[in-house]
């Protein structure tokens, strides 16, 4: 299980969110081996008055937060972050400086999904990759 939140300035984020969602989802399938039907993305296009960032970032600045079950190796998480940054940079022409990604991991028992606790779910994919 993985939930994605993406924050950026509305003027920039709205025009790229469909393609960005595809880039993110492809990375989740390739690196985390998630099934193709497990796509949970939320976009938060923000007004300039609601999004403050350092002067060395531009209007293309993106913050991507990934919440997922714990269990992936450090190497897998590093590979996911690197893969995402590289693909976003190459496919959307966004500077490396303007892409920030954070992974938040929680135990399965901290999730409630389809009326069950996460540790009671029968998954059709492995978390330990």
């Amino acid at each position: 299980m993985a939930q994605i939140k993406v924050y950026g300035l509305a003027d920039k984020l709205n025009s790229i969110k469909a393609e960005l969602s595809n880039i993110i989802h492809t990375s989740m399938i390739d690196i985390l081996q998630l099934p193709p039907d497990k796509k949970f993305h939320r976009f938060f296009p923000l007004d300039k008055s609601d999004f403050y960032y350092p002067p060395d970032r531009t209007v293309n600045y993106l913050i991507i937060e990934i919440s997922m079950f714990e269990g992936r190796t450090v190497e897998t998480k590093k590979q996911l972050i690197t893969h995402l940054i590289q693909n976003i940079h190459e496919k959307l022409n966004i500077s490396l400086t303007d892409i920030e990604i954070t992974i938040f991991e929680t135990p399965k028992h901290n999730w409630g999904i389809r009326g069950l606790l996460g540790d009671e779910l029968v998954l059709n994919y492995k978390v330990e990759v």
Side-chain angles (χ1 to χ4, degrees), residues 23 26-28 30-31 78-88:
I23 292 167
T26 299
S27 295
M28 302 301 279
D30 292 348
I31 308 302
K78 286 182 173 185
Q79 187 179 7
L80 176 62
I81 291 170
T82 302
H83 194 264
L84 281 167
I85 289 172
Q86 195 69 32
N87 282 313
I88 293 167

Side-chain angles (χ1 to χ4, degrees), residues 6 75 122:
V6 181
E75 187 55 42
V122 176

Side-chain angles (χ1 to χ4, degrees), residues 4-17:
I4 314 295
K5 294 179 189 175
V6 181
Y7 303 88
L9 286 172
D11 291 346
K12 298 297 179 175
L13 185 57
N14 284 330
S15 65
I16 64 166
K17 66 183 169 184

Side-chain angles (χ1 to χ4, degrees), residues 31-102:
I31 308 302
L32 297 186
Q33 302 173 14
L34 291 182
D37 63 334
K38 299 297 180 189
K39 185 176 189 178
F40 302 98
H41 301 173
R42 294 180 305 277
F43 289 84
F44 297 87
L46 301 167
D47 186 77
K48 285 184 180 185
S49 65
D50 296 320
F51 195 44
Y52 297 91
Y53 49 87
D56 62 339
R57 305 308 194 280
T58 73
V59 294
N60 295 315
Y61 180 51
L62 295 173
I63 298 173
I64 300 171
E65 296 178 349
I66 303 169
S67 296
M68 61 187 188
F69 292 157
E70 63 184 2
R72 277 82 180 195
T73 66
V74 170
E75 187 55 42
T76 297
K77 292 179 280 189
K78 286 182 173 185
Q79 187 179 7
L80 176 62
I81 291 170
T82 302
H83 194 264
L84 281 167
I85 289 172
Q86 195 69 32
N87 282 313
I88 293 167
H89 171 66
E90 289 174 4
K91 294 178 180 176
L92 295 175
N93 199 29
I94 294 176
S95 165
L96 297 173
T97 307
D98 281 332
I99 305 166
E100 291 188 14
I101 300 170
T102 305

